[in-house]
Amino acid sequence: MAESKPYTVRWGILATGGIAKTFTKDLLVDPSTRDVLDVRHTVVAAASSTSKDRAEAFLKECNVPSGATAYGSYAELVADPSVDIIYVATPHSHHYQNTMLCLKAGKNVLCEKAFTVNAAQAKLLVEEAKKRRLFLMEAVWTRYFPISVELREMVKQGKIGTLQRVFADLSIGEGEKIAESFKPENRMVNLDLAGGALLDLGIYSITWVFQFLYHLQPAGSRRLPSVASSITKYPVTGADEMTSMIFTFPSDPPTHGIATTALRPAHDPDKRGTAGPAIRIQGTRGEIQVFGPAYRPTKYRLVFFPGHGESPVDVEKPIPGGHGMMWEADECARCLRDGKLESEGLGWEESVVIMEVMDEVRRQGGLVYPERIESTEYPLEGF
Ligand SMILES: NC(=O)c1ccc[n+]([C@@H]2O[C@H](COP(=O)([O-])OP(=O)(O)OC[C@H]3O[C@@H](n4cnc5c(N)ncnc54)[C@H](OP(=O)(O)O)[C@@H]3O)[C@@H](O)[C@H]2O)c1
């Protein structure tokens, strides 16, 4: 029997910064290197808000095969009929405006995390996608790693008993060099670009908590957690540099999620794993410990209470080719192929709920961004 041809998706890349390069290079990795045979990716266009030259340089640096179009504006990219889906890779301050531009032009979108600056913006994007019957997904790539898929299934099967608590930390260890690393204009600490640990890094700690304590609940019985949180601000700009959150999920019995994030302390201070796992998923029979940065985990350890199994069991999950962003791209391709508007790995409702939770954390910590980037008005000049 003849094998069916892989479904090919034609990508347009909106923005030419650091993560746009990483993602585009991953799109070009041969999917068979990760045993994926049903979908494949081509990059047909890229746009820079700065200049066409910059978009050309981007395509060259990423080794995109000739034939792809370089645009000097996002408006030109969204009008390109040869593009099936656009990857939005601007700072999160710009996601609402840029994603809305794509949707209104009839394009499917994969939008980088954090989805938007606030939940009100996220809801409007979802409404627009729903109204126009377009695919829209928040690019929380970690959810599509085989390790995440495997662990969700393992927990669902009850391997560690009844879930009790999840700890997750993503803290990048800038320590005393923070002022050197992050000048006030750097997007990591710049309020005009929605900078700060919460939206940039804390989203991963939150995603680990939510993958297990929220996502695995049957869709009809998912309930918002209560939130108690604390924020310490970076004195130079007022962005959050250390944010700690305790979520109580109202299941029976309630479960707890402890998500932390910070710019100065580190989840792995000596980069040798001496601090132990960054994530611990705890049940009534044992726990799963996940190692590596929360956004790109490559190893887990299964530890059982005495009498519940042999432990520890260490499992390595190396990333085959590329950085690890290919799996979320494969998910987009399959959703487009199958006519799905949202991904089961992280659906619209969950992205919105996570933005609501982050709104609440910001409210408790008094973290407010400039009105211009909190605004739901569209279009606003200068994006
Ligand atoms: N998934 C991940 O692992 C990961 C990692 C890093 C970042 N991210 C997310 O990806 C997004 C971009 O991060 P990045 O590290 O790639 O940032 P970056 O290197 O600063 O690039 C951002 C790009 O956005 C465009 N842009 C448009 N308006 C801009 C403005 N006013 N200021 C700055 N840039 C502007 C620029 O490209 P053009 O003007 O040429 O279009 C710029 O190169 C963020 O939302 C971040 O949270 C995700």
Side-chain angles (χ1 to χ4, degrees):
M1 203 170 75
E3 279 189 23
S4 58
K5 273 175 52 179
Y7 180 84
T8 302
V9 172
R10 301 170 301 172
W11 288 86
I13 311 296
L14 188 150
T16 61
I19 206 62
K21 284 181 193 145
T22 306
F23 180 80
T24 302
K25 287 176 187 166
D26 271 13
L27 284 180
L28 300 174
V29 173
D30 179 352
S32 68
T33 58
R34 55 184 180 276
D35 297 327
V36 167
L37 303 174
D38 60 328
V39 293
R40 64 185 198 95
H41 310 278
T42 55
V43 178
V44 294
S48 167
S49 63
T50 325
S51 68
K52 185 177 173 188
D53 285 353
R54 196 169 146 118
E56 268 164 8
F58 171 86
L59 290 169
K60 197 164 169 217
E61 186 183 335
C62 296
N63 291 319
V64 173
S66 60
T69 311
Y71 293 113
S73 75
Y74 299 158
E76 288 171 279
L77 174 71
V78 303
D80 183 336
S82 69
V83 171
D84 297 321
I85 180 168
I86 293 180
Y87 171 61
V88 171
T90 49
H92 17 283
S93 47
H94 288 47
H95 290 176
Y96 173 66
Q97 294 288 331
N98 298 153
T99 299
M100 195 60 101
L101 176 77
C102 299
L103 294 172
K104 284 193 182 290
K107 293 298 186 205
N108 301 295
V109 180
L110 171 66
C111 174
E112 257 310 329
K113 43 53 64 175
F115 202 24
T116 48
V117 171
N118 55 43
Q121 293 180 343
K123 284 180 192 162
L124 288 171
L125 293 183
V126 165
E127 268 177 33
E128 194 70 25
K130 200 186 280 179
K131 188 173 86 191
R132 292 177 184 267
R133 300 210 46 78
L134 291 166
F135 173 77
L136 172 65
M137 177 174 130
E138 181 185 3
V140 184
W141 56 315
T142 317
R143 292 231 178 182
Y144 304 94
F145 271 46
I147 194 170
S148 296
V149 176
E150 183 175 316
L151 293 182
R152 288 200 298 266
E153 191 53 35
M154 192 184 282
V155 168
K156 209 156 102 186
Q157 301 294 329
K159 186 96 177 168
I160 56 168
T162 307
L163 268 188
Q164 302 291 296
R165 186 166 67 173
V166 175
F167 289 99
D169 183 34
L170 178 57
S171 299
I172 57 174
E174 290 298 331
E176 292 181 351
K177 62 177 172 52
I178 190 168
E180 203 185 305
S181 305
F182 298 141
K183 303 287 184 230
E185 59 280 7
N186 188 300
R187 73 162 189 83
M188 291 296 291
V189 293
N190 182 347
L191 286 180
D192 290 334
L193 298 178
L198 177 66
L199 291 194
D200 199 84
L201 308 169
I203 181 85
Y204 290 107
S205 309
I206 295 173
T207 218
W208 278 100
V209 166
F210 268 71
Q211 285 203 82
F212 297 97
L213 301 182
Y214 186 83
H215 185 85
L216 288 187
Q217 304 300 314
S221 60
R222 290 177 181 171
R223 306 238 304 278
L224 239 82
S226 63
V227 185
S229 63
S230 186
I231 280 182
T232 294
K233 290 184 182 169
Y234 184 48
V236 180
T237 64
D240 68 304
E241 68 160 74
M242 184 159 68
T243 296
S244 304
M245 300 157 268
I246 301 178
F247 303 115
T248 305
F249 291 85
S251 44
D252 186 18
T255 56
H256 291 183
I258 297 98
T260 54
T261 185
L263 302 181
R264 284 185 226 240
H267 58 262
D268 185 12
D270 60 3
K271 312 267 185 242
R272 287 154 61 191
T274 47
I279 295 136
R280 293 173 71 186
I281 304 147
Q282 302 182 308
T284 48
R285 291 186 192 159
E287 69 176 54
I288 300 163
Q289 303 175 340
V290 185
F291 295 81
Y295 51 83
R296 195 170 180 268
T298 53
K299 179 183 155 184
Y300 72 84
R301 175 174 293 166
L302 196 50
V303 186
F304 291 110
F305 294 166
H308 284 291
E310 199 178 311
S311 65
V313 178
D314 284 318
V315 180
E316 300 273 354
K317 289 266 171 188
I319 297 169
H323 187 66
M325 307 190 84
M326 323 76 69
W327 290 302
E328 66 175 352
D330 294 343
E331 170 71 4
C332 295
R334 291 186 182 119
C335 286
L336 291 181
R337 178 194 64 192
D338 300 341
K340 292 183 182 163
L341 304 187
E342 55 183 316
S343 158
E344 275 161 32
L346 177 56
W348 293 342
E349 178 263 350
E350 194 170 348
S351 278
V352 168
V353 162
I354 288 177
M355 287 310 309
E356 283 175 344
V357 158
M358 293 201 290
D359 281 358
E360 175 58 15
V361 172
R362 290 206 290 129
R363 191 194 65 74
Q364 290 181 11
L367 175 60
V368 182
Y369 291 113
E371 171 50 28
R372 182 176 156 72
I373 64 163
E374 296 265 10
S375 173
T376 52
E377 202 182 318
Y378 175 88
L380 279 181
E381 277 301 304
F383 285 88

